[in-house]
């Protein structure tokens, strides 16, 4: 059976589908992509049993066929071919013969495919209760908080991003790894029925973040324990993390001891330099805040020490020293896209709250590191 | 009903002899020990028919004064102690004055002896009527000939095993005595030829090599610990060398091989992490201590001794075995010979502030605190002047750092090494420690007895950086964790902690167990991405002096192959 397809769009689609395929998969068929070819479309499907991708591209053929093939090998050869139309010839034993229509190239490449038989059934997108988002909007909701989510899979609830509609017409996304938390609330011009909120696994979040473009729209829906995203020609189907997201509102300080205003870039650069003199996993630096300045200090035995001073604007004449993970501070400051930020201080053992100066709906909360002295203090 | 009566003299003697002389090997043991006490440098033994027909022990020791000869076989006659106080300070093997008298009660004995300073010695021999003494002018030293052993105790004779196994027991007895006396040459002749030839050796290590062969010697490593009262040393298996019996587990107390029923258990426990079930590591251990601290006089054959503080001795042996395990283990450890050769010379106790071994850490309050052991720096570092961490060649199987350093290749188990480094920084945190507060406190439900245990030890948790509160009858609230724990699984830490707390075989106090559980969960695991910086830092840390080269659970994590071994592998040397 002969299929005519653009090399560029086939390569792009295979790469989208293959990105979630795990090479460690025990199930052989799942290390492949499924190709469903009809008269004018080719659908490429992949899954790792937690998340599935279905993406479509235009192609021409006179019949229908389904086969499975190793996406990595397929994309490797496509990458090396000139950008001319391709002719694929798939026979009954799923041998995929790839020919470029380029006049410059005389070659023959045949990739062994597999029968699609054992490939699991992937549910179809349901339009019920679907919400339409601007892609750029959803991308922000994700990217502004995903850095705070736990990469560790021990606590699944934290290994994802929580979406909830706290009040009608708003949507909030939250990420946390239990040592820090990031929260973003934005208003939308429609009802978002998210019930008590849903937790989308971090792997799905990464996939979405990659697929979402600054412009265009996308649709979202969910049923039971699955959620669906439709972004241009690609659908993502993912499980929803089962579990109760903790009460994050309780963590957000209601009032601060005092607040300071800092120039974002200056602060970020400073922390970056000082952090060089810290060690993982604590990356501990000390922020000494007093007299309208912060003195940042790092001191690590057998490594070295650093000290920097930057000017700030404080709303009270207070004085405090807070130990904090410099990496967390950098992660937060990088996402603050305003020239100045405010830092709400609540105490030595209480959270540090960072927000863009004019936007209290985006919060980054970092728990401090306390330096304790042992015994008879 | 029979009346009570005192047994005839001859019967009394036979009964008493039965305690000391249970088989031919015990005759050999008593006689060879006498030779050593007499300062012999050459001891030759001949046995015939498994020792039942004839045992001859000839030495070049100090000899017996010809006038004392008849006393030698008398009961409770000895030259080794003078009054009861001497028993408390026994430096010789014998002291009870029983051996020759007992042997003579159950055999025909002949003693030939001449002191080097005398022109003539004496010959004593037993007859039907008693003992007779004549002159003797042979070589200086003493020869004891024991013939027809147990001829007058048929019952005992019946219980003896075959001649072959009696001979084997004799051979083992001599070898066991020979190990702590490398400067004495030993030979054993049996009916069918030479069975043992041990020339003088320069050290105990060499003697062990003579007995077990160079191959096994290379599978052992020498370690030493000492404090004011006790010098302990021993040859222990490298982790890969395990035997199917406990035959290489021997304990010497002041050079006397003693039976100590807990020895096997202690060694096995120390090797738990590396030993397979049913396989036993070797441990030839020497304890040298003030004779006043040992009671030898509890067993007629002196096979058992009473030690002043069993718990302390056990900790000492465990400490030795752990030290042996924490060495880098090499295909061939050539370092033991020089370090062993200096044995015997009194060692000044170094005043360096050696790192405390976790098990002896005084922070575990419920442990009776033994006198601190002075840990010598591992011999390996004596010749290493540069503190270079060497060149990291790469990471094998995502888990083992391979690094080149000082003409050796090192394999380092990253996870275990990382565990050790985290553990050490938790245990030796000094004055200050860092505690990471949590956004969401972790609520942990615990079985009721664990809950109580935890509350009892809540101080110790907070000293390591946890912030724990009692939450309800069966749950706790954790609102801060040690910053070093990073993103570790908190409930996993507590699960492991309770498992090790309930496991009585695991050494260490509560604080050590908390630290070990944290370290295990915080350490990078096989498969985690390791940056060059991580490996560089870690390798630098573990090659510092004083770092115990085992993970907190006891597994070694460094393996060394010398350039020399690799060259030999390729037939280049």
């Amino acid at each position: 059976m002969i299929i005519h397809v653009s090399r560029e769009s086939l390569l792009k689609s295979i790469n989208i589908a293959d990105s979630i395929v795990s090479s460690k998969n025990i199930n052989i068929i799942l290390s492949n992509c499924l190709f469903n070819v009809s008269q004018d479309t080719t659908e490429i499907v992949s899954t790792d049993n937690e998340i599935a991708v279905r993406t479509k591209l235009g192609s021409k053929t006179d019949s229908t066929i389904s086969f499975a093939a190793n996406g990595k090998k397929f994309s490797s050869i496509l990458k090396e071919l000139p950008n001319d139309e391709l002719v694929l010839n798939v026979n009954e034993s799923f041998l995929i013969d790839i020919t470029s229509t380029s006049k410059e190239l005389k070659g023959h490449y045949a990739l062994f495919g597999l029968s699609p038989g054992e490939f699991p059934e992937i549910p179809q997108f349901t339009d019920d209760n679907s919400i339409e988002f601007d892609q750029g909007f959803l991308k922000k909701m994700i990217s502004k908080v995903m850095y705070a989510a736990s990469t560790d899979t021990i606590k699944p609830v934290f290994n994802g991003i929580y979406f909830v509609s706290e009040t009608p017409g708003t949507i909030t996304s939250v990420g946390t790894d239990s040592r820090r938390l990031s929260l973003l609330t934005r208003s939308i011009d429609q009802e978002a029925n998210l019930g008590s909120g849903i937790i989308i696994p971090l792997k799905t979040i990464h996939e979405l973040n990659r697929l979402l473009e600054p412009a265009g729209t996308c649709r979202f829906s969910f049923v039971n324990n699955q959620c669906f995203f439709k972004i241009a020609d690609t659908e993502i189907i993912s499980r929803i993390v089962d579990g109760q997201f903790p009460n994050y509102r309780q963590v957000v300080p209601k009032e601060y001891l005092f607040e300071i205003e800092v120039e974002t870039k200056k602060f970020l650069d400073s922390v970056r330099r000082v952090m060089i003199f810290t060690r993982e996993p604590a990356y501990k630096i000390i922020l000494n805040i007093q007299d309208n300045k912060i003195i940042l200090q790092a001191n690590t035995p057998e490594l070295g020490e650093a000290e920097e001073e930057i000017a700030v604007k404080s709303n009270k004449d207070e004085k405090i020293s807070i130990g904090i993970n410099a990496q967390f501070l950098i992660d937060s400051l990088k996402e603050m896209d305003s020239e100045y930020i405010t830092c709400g201080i609540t105490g030595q053992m209480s959270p540090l709250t960072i927000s863009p100066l004019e936007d209290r709906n985006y919060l980054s909360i970092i728990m401090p590191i306390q330096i304790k002295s042992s015994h008879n203090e | 009903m029979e009346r009570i009566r005192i047994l005839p003299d001859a019967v009394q003697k036979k009964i008493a002899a039965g305690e000391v002389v249970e088989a031919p090997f015990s005759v050999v043991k008593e006689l060879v020990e006498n030779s050593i006490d007499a300062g012999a440098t050459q001891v030759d033994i001949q046995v015939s028919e498994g020792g039942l027909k004839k045992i001859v022990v000839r030495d070049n020791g100090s000899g017996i004064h010809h006038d004392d000869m008849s006393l030698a076989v008398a009961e409770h006659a000895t030259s080794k102690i003078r009054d009861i106080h001497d028993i408390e300070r026994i430096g010789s093997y014998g002291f009870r004055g029983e051996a020759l008298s007992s042997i003579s009660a159950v055999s025909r004995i002949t003693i030939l002896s001449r002191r080097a300073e005398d022109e003539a010695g004496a010959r004593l021999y037993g007859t039907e009527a008693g003992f007779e003494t004549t002159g003797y002018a042979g070589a200086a030293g003493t020869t004891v000939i024991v013939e027809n052993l147990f001829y007058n105790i048929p019952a005992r004779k019946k219980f003896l095993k075959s001649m072959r196994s009696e001979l084997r027991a004799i051979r083992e007895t001599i070898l066991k005595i020979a190990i702590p006396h490398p400067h004495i040459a030993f030979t054993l002749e049996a009916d069918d030829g030479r069975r043992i030839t041990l020339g003088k050796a320069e050290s105990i290590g060499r003697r062990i090599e003579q007995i077990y062969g160079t191959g096994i010697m290379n599978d052992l490593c020498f370690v030493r610990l000492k404090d004011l009262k006790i010098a302990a040393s021993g040859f222990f298996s490298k982790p890969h060398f395990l035997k199917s019996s406990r035959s290489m587990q021997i304990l010497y107390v002041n050079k006397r091989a003693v039976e100590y029923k807990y020895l096997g258990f202690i060694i096995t426990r120390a090797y738990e992490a590396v030993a397979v079930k049913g396989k036993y590591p070797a441990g030839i251990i020497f304890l040298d201590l003030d004779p006043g601290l040992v009671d030898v006089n509890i067993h007629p054959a002196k096979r058992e001794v009473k030690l002043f503080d069993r718990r302390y001795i056990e900790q000492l042996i465990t400490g030795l075995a752990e030290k042996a395990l924490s060495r880098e283990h090499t295909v061939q450890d050539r370092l033991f010979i020089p370090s062993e050769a200096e044995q015997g010379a009194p060692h000044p106790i170094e005043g360096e502030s050696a790192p405390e071994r976790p098990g002896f850490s005084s922070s575990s309050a419920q442990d009776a605190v033994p006198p601190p052991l002075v840990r010598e720096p591992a011999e390996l570092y004596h010749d290493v002047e540069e503190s270079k961490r060497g060149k990291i060649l790469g990471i094998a199987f995502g888990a083992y750092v391979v690094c080149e350093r000082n003409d050796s290749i090192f394999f380092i188990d990253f996870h275990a090494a990382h565990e050790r480094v985290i553990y050490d920084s938790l245990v030796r945190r000094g004055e200050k420690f860092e505690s990471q507060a949590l956004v969401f406190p972790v609520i942990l439900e615990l079985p009721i007895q664990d809950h109580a245990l935890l509350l009892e030890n809540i101080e110790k948790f907070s000293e390591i950086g946890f912030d724990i509160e009692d939450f309800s009858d069966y749950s706790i609230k954790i609102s801060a964790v040690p910053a070093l724990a990073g993103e570790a699984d908190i409930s996993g830490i507590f699960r492991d902690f309770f498992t090790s707390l309930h496991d009585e075989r695991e050494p260490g106090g509560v604080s050590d167990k908390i630290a070990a559980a944290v370290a295990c969960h915080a350490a990078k695991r096989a498969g985690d991405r390791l940056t060059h910086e991580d490996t560089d830092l870690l390798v630098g840390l573990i090659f510092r002096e004083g770092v115990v080269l085992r993970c907190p659970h006891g597994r070694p994590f460094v393996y060394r192959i010398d350039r020399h071994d690799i060259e030999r592998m390729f037939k280049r040397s």
Side-chain angles (χ1 to χ4, degrees), chain A residues 150-152 154-155 158 176-181 245-248 251 279-282 284 302 325 328 349 365 367-375, chain B residues 418 429-440 442 462-463 465-467 479-481 483-491 524 534 537 541 544:
Chain A
S150 170
T151 50
D152 206 301
I154 296 163
K155 275 203 111 180
F158 292 159
T176 181
D177 67 357
S178 88
R179 293 169 294 167
R180 54 178 161 171
L181 178 142
F245 201 81
N247 183 359
Y248 58 92
V251 176
R279 254 183 207 149
E280 59 124 40
K284 187 204 71 198
E302 293 163 72
N325 184 319
F328 292 179
M349 233 2 217
I365 292 169
M367 293 306 282
I369 295 171
Q370 198 184 32
I371 297 100
K372 292 185 181 176
S373 291
S374 55
H375 309 299
Chain B
H418 196 195
R429 61 196 172 269
E431 292 289 293
K432 288 187 174 147
F433 52 96
E434 293 160 4
S435 178
Q436 167 74 59
L438 298 177
V439 182
F440 301 108
V442 175
S462 92
E463 278 167 14
F466 284 98
D467 205 335
S479 45
V481 298
L484 275 170
E487 220 184 328
D489 173 13
I490 294 161
S491 52
K524 295 203 184 216
D534 293 338
L537 181 69
L541 286 174
R544 284 190 312 194

Side-chain angles (χ1 to χ4, degrees), chain B residues 199-368:
Chain B
K200 283 184 195 176
E202 67 206 40
S203 65
I204 291 180
R206 287 281 184 222
R207 174 54 52 85
I208 290 175
E209 196 172 347
Q210 284 176 337
I211 294 174
Y212 293 100
T214 311
I216 284 185
M217 195 60 223
N218 287 339
D219 289 327
L220 301 178
C221 64
F222 178 73
V223 283
R224 186 160 45 179
L225 285 171
K226 75 169 48 163
D227 72 0
L228 289 166
K229 284 180 183 158
I230 298 190
S233 59
F235 290 85
F236 286 88
S237 282
K238 291 177 186 173
H240 64 273
F241 177 66
L242 300 169
K243 291 178 66 77
S244 47
S245 78
R246 297 192 197 268
S247 63
M248 273 186 81
Q249 297 181 345
I250 313 171
L251 176 65
Y252 292 94
V253 175
N254 292 341
K255 299 191 174 178
R256 186 191 302 279
V258 296
E259 281 173 16
Y260 185 51
K261 59 184 166 184
Y262 301 109
L263 180 68
F265 174 71
I266 298 168
I267 299 178
T268 303
R269 188 176 60 184
Y271 274 73
E272 196 166 45
V274 293
V276 203
K277 224 178 165 186
K279 293 275 182 188
Y280 305 97
I284 301 176
I285 302 162
F286 308 93
L287 301 181
D288 289 303
L289 58 160
D290 183 333
L293 300 175
V294 204
D295 186 358
V296 187
N297 195 18
I298 60 164
H299 188 284
K302 303 168 196 123
R303 273 203 311 246
E304 287 175 23
V305 295
K306 205 164 162 182
L307 296 167
F308 71 105
D309 181 347
R310 207 189 90 194
R311 197 181 155 85
Y312 177 54
I313 297 292
E314 286 185 15
Q315 280 181 332
L316 199 63
I317 297 173
T318 309
L320 272 179
E322 290 185 342
K323 193 178 170 191
L325 270 176
S326 62
R327 293 262 297 265
E328 301 160 353
H329 288 288
T330 66
V331 169
Q332 189 177 34
D333 194 343
R334 274 161 294 141
L335 287 155
F336 78 88
I337 295 167
S339 73
E340 212 278 325
E342 38 181 277
Q343 219 214 9
H347 249 266
I349 289 171
E350 285 148 297
E352 51 147 3
S353 57
E356 277 190 353
R357 206 179 58 77
F360 287 86
S361 158
S362 50
S363 62
S364 44
Q366 82 248 54
D367 283 353

Side-chain angles (χ1 to χ4, degrees), chain B residues 13-41:
Chain B
K13 262 184 126 177
K14 278 189 207 171
I15 291 173
E19 290 178 350
V20 181
V21 186
E22 51 178 295
F25 77 82
S26 25
V27 173
V28 172
K29 173 176 175 286
E30 296 294 337
L31 296 180
V32 172
E33 285 182 352
N34 278 347
S35 297
I36 295 171
D37 283 345
T41 57

Side-chain angles (χ1 to χ4, degrees), chain B residues 343-410:
Chain B
Q343 219 214 9
H347 249 266
I349 289 171
E350 285 148 297
E352 51 147 3
S353 57
E356 277 190 353
R357 206 179 58 77
F360 287 86
S361 158
S362 50
S363 62
S364 44
Q366 82 248 54
D367 283 353
V369 182
L373 295 173
V374 175
R375 174 186 275 282
E376 297 168 46
E379 285 86 337
L380 184 85
Y381 299 104
H382 286 326
D383 57 338
V384 181
E385 275 174 23
E386 73 266 49
S387 62
K388 276 201 316 194
R389 63 194 57 165
K391 191 164 79 187
I392 291 163
L393 303 178
I395 293 163
F397 314 120
Y400 307 100
V401 179
V402 185
C403 118
E404 177 190 329
R405 181 171 177 269
N406 299 329
D407 259 2
S408 297
I409 303 275
F410 292 81

Side-chain angles (χ1 to χ4, degrees), chain B residues 409-526:
Chain B
I409 303 275
F410 292 81
F411 292 84
I412 300 157
D413 178 334
F414 194 97
H415 172 73
H418 196 195
E419 259 186 284
R420 164 55 64 186
V421 169
I422 297 172
Y423 176 87
D424 281 355
S425 33
L426 287 170
V427 171
R428 291 191 229 131
R429 61 196 172 269
E431 292 289 293
K432 288 187 174 147
F433 52 96
E434 293 160 4
S435 178
Q436 167 74 59
L438 298 177
V439 182
F440 301 108
V442 175
I443 310 291
L444 217 58
E445 290 187 7
L446 298 170
I448 199 115
Q449 75 272 27
D450 286 355
H451 185 254
L453 262 173
L454 191 129
L455 293 182
E456 265 170 46
N457 292 299
I458 212 156
E459 278 288 279
K460 297 199 171 89
F461 277 93
S462 92
E463 278 167 14
I464 275 178
F466 284 98
D467 205 335
I468 300 177
E469 283 168 70
D470 192 7
F471 193 66
S472 78
D473 287 348
Y474 55 90
S475 64
I476 51 162
K477 186 171 120 185
I478 304 157
S479 45
V481 298
L484 275 170
E487 220 184 328
D489 173 13
I490 294 161
S491 52
I493 291 173
F494 282 83
R495 201 174 47 234
D496 283 7
F497 164 73
F498 284 113
T499 310
S500 86
L501 198 65
H502 295 314
D503 186 350
E504 284 168 7
R505 289 169 309 162
E506 264 197 42
V510 175
S511 300
D512 301 321
K513 288 179 175 183
I514 301 169
V518 172
C520 183
H521 282 273
K524 295 203 184 216
R525 288 169 185 279

